[in-house]
Amino acid sequence: MGPSKLALYGGKPVRDSYLPYGRQWVTDDDINSVIKVLKGDYLTTGPLVPKFEEAIAEYVGADYAVAFSSGTSALHAACFAAEIGKGDEVIVSPITFVASANCVLYQGATPVFADIDPKTYNIDPNQIESKITSKTKAIIPVDFTGQAVDMDNIKKIADRYGLHIIEDAAHALGSEYKGRKIGSLADMTEFSFHPVKPITAGEGGVITTDNEEFYKKLQLFRSHGITKNKKDFFDSDGPWYYEQQALGYNYRITDIQCALGLNQLNHISKFLYRRRKIADRYNQAFCGMQEVNIPFEAEYSNSGWHLYILRLNMNLLQADRKDIFEALQAENIGVNVHYIPVYYHPYYKKLGYKKGLCPNAEKLYEDMITLPLFPKMTDQDVEDVIAAVKKVIGYFRKQV
């Protein structure tokens, strides 16, 4: 074993303070933009909501954007707009947060998990096609870690079978596919504004689309299924009149959130630049270590690097992933694991899903660790992560 005593066993940690895996960067001008709303007339659905939507649509190159209270509610709305319902099946990736599949269940449909490409960790188009049945209604590919999915091949499959594509790009605002920003490639694309995402609105999400029919359904769904647009009324009793035309939800976003989101959008170029610089430094530091694999990025993708996944070669280590995870945590490096395969969760087991569905995803889960990566990390923070990984891996390296 290596000479450095791990903090886990009483040695001195690499860092004195804990470094989380992700964290928001909120500036004074972000704060002032929120204060301005708090002092104004509108706190909830006011003028900043459409302004934020227009800014997001313009940024990604889409015709429309509809903002929601969360990325999850945005995905739910997209499933509603695509008329996914009982008896339908939707193909999803197993390596994602549960919301990517839960949104299908919310509509009474069935998630069908297709395995990942072992290099990109994104859903494998060949596996998608093998899962299609007469019940398949849509595909929800996930731009995992910010890397673009193989959209051209997914589109070919969708066109062949008449399926909708709802792209879960919660990790990927600002990422690119073949030089185009993600957000105008799928039928509908979802982004998240959770604090660790590329920009934050505290919470919140959005769907971008070029389809006017989807746009109207999304707007309807986020506000109880109610419209106040006279042109859409089936009837009218007077100027006070509004109509519930569908069973929607209160998924509205606030002007407070949109003020923060709008101002954060001004910083996105800086945020993405910093994320990419950190990922480059990690790649440089770890590419020569046999005990780990650095992330692979496909030629068609320009990732925004929401997450940095280090994959362990367990056969070269005299420890398991839990030992390495705990050792890095003890060095005050806030590593994480993204994600537990969705169908491993007890709720999905109750629905009849079992291990063995997606071997590539299951093997990845056993081997991966997420390293800290967020724009506000200093160069010293980055070097601390590198030092801790090398210390821990060196300690557990198998001796030849």
PDB file of all heavy atoms in Angstrom, residues 13 29 69 76 86 106 110 120 125 131-132 146 174 200 216 220 229 237 244 246 259 277 284 298 315 319 334:
ATOM      1  N   PRO A  13      -6.152  14.899   6.665  1.00  0.00           N
ATOM      2  CA  PRO A  13      -6.885  15.020   5.402  1.00  0.00           C
ATOM      3  C   PRO A  13      -6.231  16.022   4.459  1.00  0.00           C
ATOM      4  O   PRO A  13      -5.535  16.950   4.887  1.00  0.00           O
ATOM      5  CB  PRO A  13      -8.274  15.502   5.836  1.00  0.00           C
ATOM      6  CG  PRO A  13      -8.083  16.121   7.173  1.00  0.00           C
ATOM      7  CD  PRO A  13      -6.943  15.391   7.805  1.00  0.00           C
ATOM      8  N   ASP A  29     -25.374  40.920  -8.074  1.00  0.00           N
ATOM      9  CA  ASP A  29     -26.388  41.388  -9.013  1.00  0.00           C
ATOM     10  C   ASP A  29     -27.552  40.407  -9.125  1.00  0.00           C
ATOM     11  O   ASP A  29     -28.692  40.805  -9.370  1.00  0.00           O
ATOM     12  CB  ASP A  29     -25.785  41.699 -10.388  1.00  0.00           C
ATOM     13  CG  ASP A  29     -25.069  40.533 -11.019  1.00  0.00           C
ATOM     14  OD1 ASP A  29     -24.347  39.836 -10.302  1.00  0.00           O
ATOM     15  OD2 ASP A  29     -25.223  40.330 -12.243  1.00  0.00           O
ATOM     16  N   SER A  69     -42.395  25.076 -12.123  1.00  0.00           N
ATOM     17  CA  SER A  69     -41.901  25.154 -10.748  1.00  0.00           C
ATOM     18  C   SER A  69     -40.688  24.263 -10.502  1.00  0.00           C
ATOM     19  O   SER A  69     -39.955  24.460  -9.537  1.00  0.00           O
ATOM     20  CB  SER A  69     -43.021  24.776  -9.772  1.00  0.00           C
ATOM     21  OG  SER A  69     -43.547  23.493 -10.090  1.00  0.00           O
ATOM     22  N   HIS A  76     -43.257  16.229 -16.441  1.00  0.00           N
ATOM     23  CA  HIS A  76     -44.644  15.765 -16.345  1.00  0.00           C
ATOM     24  C   HIS A  76     -45.506  16.467 -17.396  1.00  0.00           C
ATOM     25  O   HIS A  76     -46.301  15.836 -18.110  1.00  0.00           O
ATOM     26  CB  HIS A  76     -45.179  16.035 -14.936  1.00  0.00           C
ATOM     27  CG  HIS A  76     -46.538  15.498 -14.679  1.00  0.00           C
ATOM     28  ND1 HIS A  76     -47.243  15.788 -13.524  1.00  0.00           N
ATOM     29  CD2 HIS A  76     -47.354  14.693 -15.412  1.00  0.00           C
ATOM     30  CE1 HIS A  76     -48.420  15.178 -13.569  1.00  0.00           C
ATOM     31  NE2 HIS A  76     -48.510  14.514 -14.709  1.00  0.00           N
ATOM     32  N   LYS A  86     -52.447   5.943 -20.042  1.00  0.00           N
ATOM     33  CA  LYS A  86     -52.578   4.548 -19.627  1.00  0.00           C
ATOM     34  C   LYS A  86     -52.470   3.622 -20.834  1.00  0.00           C
ATOM     35  O   LYS A  86     -53.092   3.852 -21.867  1.00  0.00           O
ATOM     36  CB  LYS A  86     -53.915   4.344 -18.924  1.00  0.00           C
ATOM     37  CG  LYS A  86     -54.065   2.991 -18.264  1.00  0.00           C
ATOM     38  CD  LYS A  86     -55.355   2.906 -17.471  1.00  0.00           C
ATOM     39  CE  LYS A  86     -55.476   1.549 -16.787  1.00  0.00           C
ATOM     40  NZ  LYS A  86     -56.748   1.441 -16.013  1.00  0.00           N
ATOM     41  N   TYR A 106     -46.587   9.226 -13.741  1.00  0.00           N
ATOM     42  CA  TYR A 106     -47.601  10.227 -13.396  1.00  0.00           C
ATOM     43  C   TYR A 106     -48.755  10.220 -14.392  1.00  0.00           C
ATOM     44  O   TYR A 106     -49.896  10.534 -14.038  1.00  0.00           O
ATOM     45  CB  TYR A 106     -47.001  11.637 -13.372  1.00  0.00           C
ATOM     46  CG  TYR A 106     -45.932  11.887 -12.351  1.00  0.00           C
ATOM     47  CD1 TYR A 106     -44.985  12.901 -12.549  1.00  0.00           C
ATOM     48  CD2 TYR A 106     -45.832  11.144 -11.186  1.00  0.00           C
ATOM     49  CE1 TYR A 106     -43.992  13.154 -11.628  1.00  0.00           C
ATOM     50  CE2 TYR A 106     -44.824  11.384 -10.264  1.00  0.00           C
ATOM     51  CZ  TYR A 106     -43.909  12.390 -10.488  1.00  0.00           C
ATOM     52  OH  TYR A 106     -42.913  12.639  -9.581  1.00  0.00           O
ATOM     53  N   THR A 110     -46.095   3.320 -18.747  1.00  0.00           N
ATOM     54  CA  THR A 110     -45.073   2.404 -18.238  1.00  0.00           C
ATOM     55  C   THR A 110     -43.694   2.795 -18.743  1.00  0.00           C
ATOM     56  O   THR A 110     -43.468   2.842 -19.959  1.00  0.00           O
ATOM     57  CB  THR A 110     -45.379   0.967 -18.692  1.00  0.00           C
ATOM     58  OG1 THR A 110     -46.670   0.583 -18.205  1.00  0.00           O
ATOM     59  CG2 THR A 110     -44.331  -0.012 -18.186  1.00  0.00           C
ATOM     60  N   THR A 120     -20.252   6.400 -23.567  1.00  0.00           N
ATOM     61  CA  THR A 120     -20.801   7.730 -23.296  1.00  0.00           C
ATOM     62  C   THR A 120     -21.642   7.772 -22.028  1.00  0.00           C
ATOM     63  O   THR A 120     -21.883   8.850 -21.480  1.00  0.00           O
ATOM     64  CB  THR A 120     -21.684   8.208 -24.464  1.00  0.00           C
ATOM     65  OG1 THR A 120     -22.837   7.353 -24.554  1.00  0.00           O
ATOM     66  CG2 THR A 120     -20.920   8.199 -25.770  1.00  0.00           C
ATOM     67  N   PRO A 125     -28.848   4.020 -28.734  1.00  0.00           N
ATOM     68  CA  PRO A 125     -29.917   3.945 -29.731  1.00  0.00           C
ATOM     69  C   PRO A 125     -30.279   2.518 -30.153  1.00  0.00           C
ATOM     70  O   PRO A 125     -31.450   2.219 -30.388  1.00  0.00           O
ATOM     71  CB  PRO A 125     -29.352   4.752 -30.912  1.00  0.00           C
ATOM     72  CG  PRO A 125     -28.415   5.716 -30.284  1.00  0.00           C
ATOM     73  CD  PRO A 125     -27.792   4.973 -29.140  1.00  0.00           C
ATOM     74  N   LYS A 131     -36.322  -2.212 -27.726  1.00  0.00           N
ATOM     75  CA  LYS A 131     -37.370  -2.143 -26.693  1.00  0.00           C
ATOM     76  C   LYS A 131     -38.713  -1.662 -27.246  1.00  0.00           C
ATOM     77  O   LYS A 131     -39.709  -1.624 -26.516  1.00  0.00           O
ATOM     78  CB  LYS A 131     -36.933  -1.198 -25.567  1.00  0.00           C
ATOM     79  CG  LYS A 131     -35.661  -1.614 -24.839  1.00  0.00           C
ATOM     80  CD  LYS A 131     -35.868  -2.825 -23.975  1.00  0.00           C
ATOM     81  CE  LYS A 131     -34.610  -3.170 -23.190  1.00  0.00           C
ATOM     82  NZ  LYS A 131     -34.813  -4.321 -22.296  1.00  0.00           N
ATOM     83  N   ILE A 132     -38.760  -1.280 -28.500  1.00  0.00           N
ATOM     84  CA  ILE A 132     -39.991  -0.708 -29.067  1.00  0.00           C
ATOM     85  C   ILE A 132     -41.040  -1.791 -29.300  1.00  0.00           C
ATOM     86  O   ILE A 132     -40.740  -2.872 -29.814  1.00  0.00           O
ATOM     87  CB  ILE A 132     -39.675   0.038 -30.381  1.00  0.00           C
ATOM     88  CG1 ILE A 132     -38.839   1.291 -30.073  1.00  0.00           C
ATOM     89  CG2 ILE A 132     -40.961   0.442 -31.108  1.00  0.00           C
ATOM     90  CD1 ILE A 132     -38.340   2.013 -31.296  1.00  0.00           C
ATOM     91  N   GLY A 146     -24.238  16.248 -18.961  1.00  0.00           N
ATOM     92  CA  GLY A 146     -24.117  17.368 -19.889  1.00  0.00           C
ATOM     93  C   GLY A 146     -23.694  16.943 -21.276  1.00  0.00           C
ATOM     94  O   GLY A 146     -23.690  17.759 -22.209  1.00  0.00           O
ATOM     95  N   GLY A 174     -26.667  24.832 -22.317  1.00  0.00           N
ATOM     96  CA  GLY A 174     -25.393  25.323 -22.827  1.00  0.00           C
ATOM     97  C   GLY A 174     -24.545  24.272 -23.509  1.00  0.00           C
ATOM     98  O   GLY A 174     -23.595  24.602 -24.222  1.00  0.00           O
ATOM     99  N   THR A 200     -29.129  28.575 -11.922  1.00  0.00           N
ATOM    100  CA  THR A 200     -30.170  28.266 -10.947  1.00  0.00           C
ATOM    101  C   THR A 200     -31.217  29.368 -10.855  1.00  0.00           C
ATOM    102  O   THR A 200     -30.917  30.544 -11.059  1.00  0.00           O
ATOM    103  CB  THR A 200     -29.579  28.002  -9.555  1.00  0.00           C
ATOM    104  OG1 THR A 200     -30.623  27.544  -8.683  1.00  0.00           O
ATOM    105  CG2 THR A 200     -28.945  29.250  -8.958  1.00  0.00           C
ATOM    106  N   LYS A 216     -49.013  25.337 -26.366  1.00  0.00           N
ATOM    107  CA  LYS A 216     -50.309  25.684 -25.764  1.00  0.00           C
ATOM    108  C   LYS A 216     -50.708  24.673 -24.692  1.00  0.00           C
ATOM    109  O   LYS A 216     -51.239  25.048 -23.634  1.00  0.00           O
ATOM    110  CB  LYS A 216     -51.373  25.765 -26.851  1.00  0.00           C
ATOM    111  CG  LYS A 216     -51.222  26.958 -27.777  1.00  0.00           C
ATOM    112  CD  LYS A 216     -52.291  26.977 -28.856  1.00  0.00           C
ATOM    113  CE  LYS A 216     -52.165  28.195 -29.758  1.00  0.00           C
ATOM    114  NZ  LYS A 216     -53.186  28.194 -30.840  1.00  0.00           N
ATOM    115  N   LEU A 220     -51.282  25.366 -20.604  1.00  0.00           N
ATOM    116  CA  LEU A 220     -52.532  24.962 -19.971  1.00  0.00           C
ATOM    117  C   LEU A 220     -52.268  24.094 -18.750  1.00  0.00           C
ATOM    118  O   LEU A 220     -52.855  24.302 -17.671  1.00  0.00           O
ATOM    119  CB  LEU A 220     -53.384  24.204 -20.992  1.00  0.00           C
ATOM    120  CG  LEU A 220     -54.861  23.974 -20.684  1.00  0.00           C
ATOM    121  CD1 LEU A 220     -55.630  25.295 -20.737  1.00  0.00           C
ATOM    122  CD2 LEU A 220     -55.456  22.972 -21.685  1.00  0.00           C
ATOM    123  N   ASN A 229     -57.637  32.793 -22.127  1.00  0.00           N
ATOM    124  CA  ASN A 229     -57.566  33.286 -23.501  1.00  0.00           C
ATOM    125  C   ASN A 229     -58.929  33.132 -24.175  1.00  0.00           C
ATOM    126  O   ASN A 229     -59.396  32.018 -24.426  1.00  0.00           O
ATOM    127  CB  ASN A 229     -56.494  32.515 -24.275  1.00  0.00           C
ATOM    128  CG  ASN A 229     -56.196  33.132 -25.627  1.00  0.00           C
ATOM    129  OD1 ASN A 229     -57.030  33.836 -26.196  1.00  0.00           O
ATOM    130  ND2 ASN A 229     -55.015  32.857 -26.147  1.00  0.00           N
ATOM    131  N   ASP A 237     -69.351  33.486 -20.049  1.00  0.00           N
ATOM    132  CA  ASP A 237     -70.436  34.115 -19.286  1.00  0.00           C
ATOM    133  C   ASP A 237     -70.233  35.618 -19.123  1.00  0.00           C
ATOM    134  O   ASP A 237     -71.136  36.313 -18.681  1.00  0.00           O
ATOM    135  CB  ASP A 237     -70.535  33.489 -17.897  1.00  0.00           C
ATOM    136  CG  ASP A 237     -71.054  32.060 -17.948  1.00  0.00           C
ATOM    137  OD1 ASP A 237     -71.720  31.710 -18.936  1.00  0.00           O
ATOM    138  OD2 ASP A 237     -70.778  31.296 -17.011  1.00  0.00           O
ATOM    139  N   GLN A 244     -61.540  25.844 -17.256  1.00  0.00           N
ATOM    140  CA  GLN A 244     -60.675  24.674 -17.084  1.00  0.00           C
ATOM    141  C   GLN A 244     -60.986  23.702 -18.223  1.00  0.00           C
ATOM    142  O   GLN A 244     -62.091  23.189 -18.335  1.00  0.00           O
ATOM    143  CB  GLN A 244     -60.890  23.978 -15.747  1.00  0.00           C
ATOM    144  CG  GLN A 244     -59.943  22.790 -15.591  1.00  0.00           C
ATOM    145  CD  GLN A 244     -60.121  22.019 -14.307  1.00  0.00           C
ATOM    146  OE1 GLN A 244     -60.772  22.474 -13.367  1.00  0.00           O
ATOM    147  NE2 GLN A 244     -59.540  20.829 -14.254  1.00  0.00           N
ATOM    148  N   ALA A 246     -58.633  21.092 -19.065  1.00  0.00           N
ATOM    149  CA  ALA A 246     -57.913  19.833 -18.840  1.00  0.00           C
ATOM    150  C   ALA A 246     -57.630  19.720 -17.352  1.00  0.00           C
ATOM    151  O   ALA A 246     -57.787  20.699 -16.601  1.00  0.00           O
ATOM    152  CB  ALA A 246     -56.610  19.808 -19.634  1.00  0.00           C
ATOM    153  N   ALA A 259     -36.532  36.128 -11.871  1.00  0.00           N
ATOM    154  CA  ALA A 259     -35.561  37.220 -11.738  1.00  0.00           C
ATOM    155  C   ALA A 259     -34.159  36.651 -11.543  1.00  0.00           C
ATOM    156  O   ALA A 259     -33.195  37.101 -12.191  1.00  0.00           O
ATOM    157  CB  ALA A 259     -35.938  38.119 -10.565  1.00  0.00           C
ATOM    158  N   LYS A 277     -12.938  24.047 -18.066  1.00  0.00           N
ATOM    159  CA  LYS A 277     -11.537  24.133 -17.634  1.00  0.00           C
ATOM    160  C   LYS A 277     -11.249  23.136 -16.514  1.00  0.00           C
ATOM    161  O   LYS A 277     -10.186  22.491 -16.508  1.00  0.00           O
ATOM    162  CB  LYS A 277     -11.215  25.556 -17.168  1.00  0.00           C
ATOM    163  CG  LYS A 277     -11.222  26.602 -18.269  1.00  0.00           C
ATOM    164  CD  LYS A 277     -10.064  26.439 -19.235  1.00  0.00           C
ATOM    165  CE  LYS A 277      -8.756  26.889 -18.633  1.00  0.00           C
ATOM    166  NZ  LYS A 277      -7.653  26.847 -19.634  1.00  0.00           N
ATOM    167  N   GLN A 284      -6.515  15.737 -17.551  1.00  0.00           N
ATOM    168  CA  GLN A 284      -5.057  15.786 -17.623  1.00  0.00           C
ATOM    169  C   GLN A 284      -4.420  15.051 -16.437  1.00  0.00           C
ATOM    170  O   GLN A 284      -3.449  14.306 -16.592  1.00  0.00           O
ATOM    171  CB  GLN A 284      -4.606  17.247 -17.648  1.00  0.00           C
ATOM    172  CG  GLN A 284      -3.100  17.450 -17.708  1.00  0.00           C
ATOM    173  CD  GLN A 284      -2.723  18.908 -17.518  1.00  0.00           C
ATOM    174  OE1 GLN A 284      -3.257  19.592 -16.649  1.00  0.00           O
ATOM    175  NE2 GLN A 284      -1.811  19.395 -18.352  1.00  0.00           N
ATOM    176  N   ALA A 298     -18.063  12.022 -26.853  1.00  0.00           N
ATOM    177  CA  ALA A 298     -18.254  11.755 -28.275  1.00  0.00           C
ATOM    178  C   ALA A 298     -17.906  12.988 -29.101  1.00  0.00           C
ATOM    179  O   ALA A 298     -18.019  14.124 -28.630  1.00  0.00           O
ATOM    180  CB  ALA A 298     -19.697  11.335 -28.536  1.00  0.00           C
ATOM    181  N   ASN A 315     -10.597  -4.141 -10.526  1.00  0.00           N
ATOM    182  CA  ASN A 315      -9.669  -5.278 -10.541  1.00  0.00           C
ATOM    183  C   ASN A 315      -8.229  -4.848 -10.251  1.00  0.00           C
ATOM    184  O   ASN A 315      -7.371  -5.696  -9.957  1.00  0.00           O
ATOM    185  CB  ASN A 315      -9.727  -6.002 -11.893  1.00  0.00           C
ATOM    186  CG  ASN A 315      -9.365  -5.113 -13.051  1.00  0.00           C
ATOM    187  OD1 ASN A 315      -9.776  -3.954 -13.091  1.00  0.00           O
ATOM    188  ND2 ASN A 315      -8.594  -5.623 -14.004  1.00  0.00           N
ATOM    189  N   ALA A 319      -9.719  -2.755  -2.780  1.00  0.00           N
ATOM    190  CA  ALA A 319     -10.787  -2.113  -2.003  1.00  0.00           C
ATOM    191  C   ALA A 319     -12.027  -2.148  -2.862  1.00  0.00           C
ATOM    192  O   ALA A 319     -11.965  -2.382  -4.069  1.00  0.00           O
ATOM    193  CB  ALA A 319     -10.410  -0.673  -1.663  1.00  0.00           C
ATOM    194  N   GLY A 334     -16.115  16.043  -1.253  1.00  0.00           N
ATOM    195  CA  GLY A 334     -17.533  15.660  -1.252  1.00  0.00           C
ATOM    196  C   GLY A 334     -17.934  14.877  -2.493  1.00  0.00           C
ATOM    197  O   GLY A 334     -18.717  15.372  -3.320  1.00  0.00           O
TER     198      GLY A 334
END
